[in-house]
Structures are given as C-alpha cells and as structure tokens.
Amino acid sequence: MSDAARLVPDDALADTWAALEQRIGSRSPLNQLAVTHALADLLGAQTRLLIAGPEDTPDAGLLALEKSRGPMRAVLAPILSPYSALLCENVRASDVHRGRSPLDALAAGLQAHVQAIALHLPTQFADVRPLQWSGYAASPLYAYRLAVDRMQLGLSSSRVRRTIRDGDDWSVDRAAGSDVLARLVLESYARQERQAPFSRAQYVAFADDLIRANAAEVWSVAPPDGDVEAAGLVVWGDDEVHELVAGSTPGPARTLLIHAIWQEAKARGVATYDLGGANTPSIAEFKRTMGADLVPYIRATWHRPGLARMVARVRPLV
C-alpha cells in the first residue's frame, strides 16, 4: 500500500529524485533530471516532483512539467522526449485492485494539484488500470526499439544493408554543433510541409542545455568532402540509448546515422536502441526496416470535469 502523494519542495527536488533513482534502479537516461529541466525551459514550464510512499523511502515518483496559463495549471506531455520521467517499484495486483498502488497515489496527487494532465508512460508500464479507474483516458501509442545485442541492423531489408555498405566512407562526428542539428530538423519539417513546433533558436537552446549538463551529444554523418546530412541529439544510458531530436536530408544519411549510433551501442554493451515513435505511417515503415521491434506505450490524459473549454485553450501543449 502506498501513502498519499505529495510535492517535493524545489530545494529538495534534485536530492530526492537522485535517491529515488538509486533506490528503485532507474534504467532510462530519459529519467535524468537534466532532460526534464531542458524540456521545462523549452516549454516555459516548471519541473515539479511528486512522490508517493513512506516519507523516508518513497516507492514512486514523477518529474512533472507544470505550466500555468491564467488560472489553468496543466502537466504537459514531454514533447521531444517519448516518455514521462516516472519511477515506480513493482506494483502488486492486489494493491491495484484495492486502489492502493503507487500509481493510484500519483494519479490522485496530480488531480488534486492541477486541472489538466498529459503523461506518456514508459513502455514497462503496461497496467494502467490505476489511471483509468481514477478517470484518466488511456490511448495506445507505439515505438520501435532495437534489441542491440541480438539483431543485425536492417537484417530484414536489402536496401538498408546496401545503404550501410555503400556509406562505409562517410564520416561520423560525435560532437557536432547544435546549430546544424536545428537546421536539419527545420528543413525536414519544411520538406514535409509541416510547421515545426519550435524555432531554430529554441532547438539550439534545448540541445545546448543538455550538452552543457553532459546529458546528451549531437551526432552527425557526412559524405566524403561533403556537408553534414543527418544529425541527432543522442542521450546515452547504461541500458538504453535514445535520440530526442533528429533531422536529415533525403537519401542515405538517416540510415547511416542510425547505423553509427547502433555500432556505438554494441561497443558500449547498451541493450536497447529506442528509435522513438511509430505513430506516422511513413516514419513507422522506415523504422521497421531497421529490424526493430514494435512496442506499445500509453498516453494518459485527464482534465477536471467542467473545464473542457479552458482545457481546449492549452490543448496544443497537453
């Protein structure tokens, strides 16, 4: 059974989160406090920590992105990061059925604090009944993940294998500039005739925040005697690697960037390369050809009854 959830004072947030990570055993680099802080800066939000469980040994915690607009307070989905920073000890089914699990406590604590909530639960959180039974709407999203230690990249695709073979003379830069990353991201959106969610300056600032915190690297690839054609903001962990932002020109560059990161993941003994969302058909098909496994994750949303019109005003954020 988990105690009621409570907000951690800002001056104790970093130490409390670090202790919770160590106690529960965080395995995702997306749970780095620096990632949430960078997202908060990007979104004009505030990092808040909600914990549940005993005072000295909490058994769950959520780093929330809280944003205010007038009287409306909302917890935002982690745009640019696939999953919310959520830690939780193993949940017993009996506690779920009694409404006493850590997720029940976090769900209720958020509802008491804000008027609207959007969370993207990490893939290991398959049982979202505590959220649904608390009034949250839960809908599936999908990601492709490469099992680095048991697969050959692009094993199922002759095109991918040929691209990798033909690109053997391309160069890889593991410390490329954030400006080239931002340029390629915006050019990718423009080719698709889509509006990028952020400006060039915002992408640069986001990447620079993470680089300064030693939480991410900008990787890039370029052909011989040519300009950079693909770049990604890479976040490494002991067991997982993620790209938070990526952009490329048409052609082989994106495949070659993934191959470079995959090779480094193998060398480091990293088990999983998370390729991110598979919720747009063309993007999903490209990631499938890399030889990755499709995995579901959950988007959970809630807003206080009677506030539908106010929630609609912050819908682009939540």
Side-chain angles (χ1 to χ4, degrees):
M1 177 178 176
S2 186
D3 294 354
R6 61 239 179 239
L7 284 169
V8 173
D10 290 344
D11 59 0
L13 189 152
D15 288 343
T16 303
W17 182 251
L20 190 63
E21 281 191 293
Q22 184 168 1
R23 181 168 177 270
I24 292 179
S26 172
R27 306 183 74 84
S28 172
L30 300 182
N31 288 335
Q32 295 178 87
L33 186 57
V35 173
T36 300
H37 279 333
L39 288 168
D41 289 345
L42 179 68
L43 296 168
Q46 180 181 2
T47 301
R48 305 301 298 271
L49 173 56
L50 188 74
I51 59 173
E55 188 69 33
D56 295 332
T57 56
D59 49 24
L62 171 72
L63 286 177
L65 296 162
E66 183 185 317
K67 186 176 179 70
S68 298
R69 182 172 291 178
M72 180 77 172
R73 290 197 312 275
V75 169
L76 310 182
I79 297 173
L80 300 188
S81 177
Y83 316 118
S84 301
L86 174 63
L87 294 173
C88 186
E89 286 193 323
N90 292 331
V91 177
R92 295 193 299 267
S94 59
D95 286 339
V96 170
H97 300 157
R98 294 182 176 90
R100 298 176 178 178
S101 74
L103 284 181
D104 284 284
L106 291 178
L110 287 174
Q111 289 170 319
H113 180 63
V114 299
Q115 289 81 41
I117 301 163
L119 302 173
H120 289 177
L121 303 185
T123 55
Q124 67 266 31
F125 290 92
D127 186 354
V128 295
R129 292 175 297 170
L131 298 176
Q132 290 177 305
W133 294 342
S134 297
Y136 288 69
S139 55
L141 295 171
Y142 297 89
Y144 269 114
R145 292 164 68 93
L146 277 165
V148 174
D149 58 350
R150 70 173 175 83
M151 283 190 174
Q152 290 295 314
L153 184 67
L155 187 63
S156 62
S157 171
S158 60
R159 179 194 63 78
V160 172
R161 295 196 302 272
R162 183 170 58 253
T163 296
I164 293 170
R165 184 175 61 249
D166 294 345
D168 187 58
D169 57 351
W170 283 50
S171 63
V172 178
D173 186 349
R174 304 180 185 188
S178 55
D179 192 65
V180 69
L181 169 68
R183 174 179 61 79
L184 287 165
V185 169
L186 293 178
E187 289 175 357
S188 296
Y189 273 103
R191 281 196 308 274
Q192 300 169 35
E193 299 183 342
R194 297 168 56 201
Q195 178 66 43
F198 304 106
S199 69
R200 186 166 181 160
Q202 287 175 307
Y203 281 114
V204 168
F206 177 68
D208 285 346
D209 280 350
L210 291 172
I211 292 168
R212 280 193 297 269
N214 293 318
E217 303 165 342
V218 175
W219 281 51
S220 68
V221 294
D225 303 317
D227 295 330
V228 170
E229 294 193 13
L233 185 63
V234 184
V235 182
W236 292 96
D238 292 337
D239 297 302
E240 296 179 359
V241 58
H242 299 257
E243 282 178 283
L244 298 184
V245 185
S248 64
T249 62
R254 183 72 180 112
T255 297
L256 294 174
L257 177 61
I258 290 174
H259 180 244
I261 297 168
W262 176 78
Q263 284 187 309
E264 179 67 12
K266 284 188 69 177
R268 294 190 186 194
V270 173
T272 301
Y273 180 0
D274 192 316
L275 297 177
N279 303 295
T280 302
S282 59
I283 294 174
E285 175 58 15
F286 170 76
K287 293 176 181 178
R288 182 197 66 80
T289 64
M290 296 294 107
D293 298 317
L294 186 68
V295 295
Y297 63 101
I298 298 296
R299 174 178 169 85
T301 59
W302 173 87
H303 65 80
R304 191 163 294 170
L307 295 180
R309 182 175 297 179
M310 188 177 293
V311 170
R313 293 208 297 270
V314 295
R315 183 69 67 188
L317 296 176
V318 300

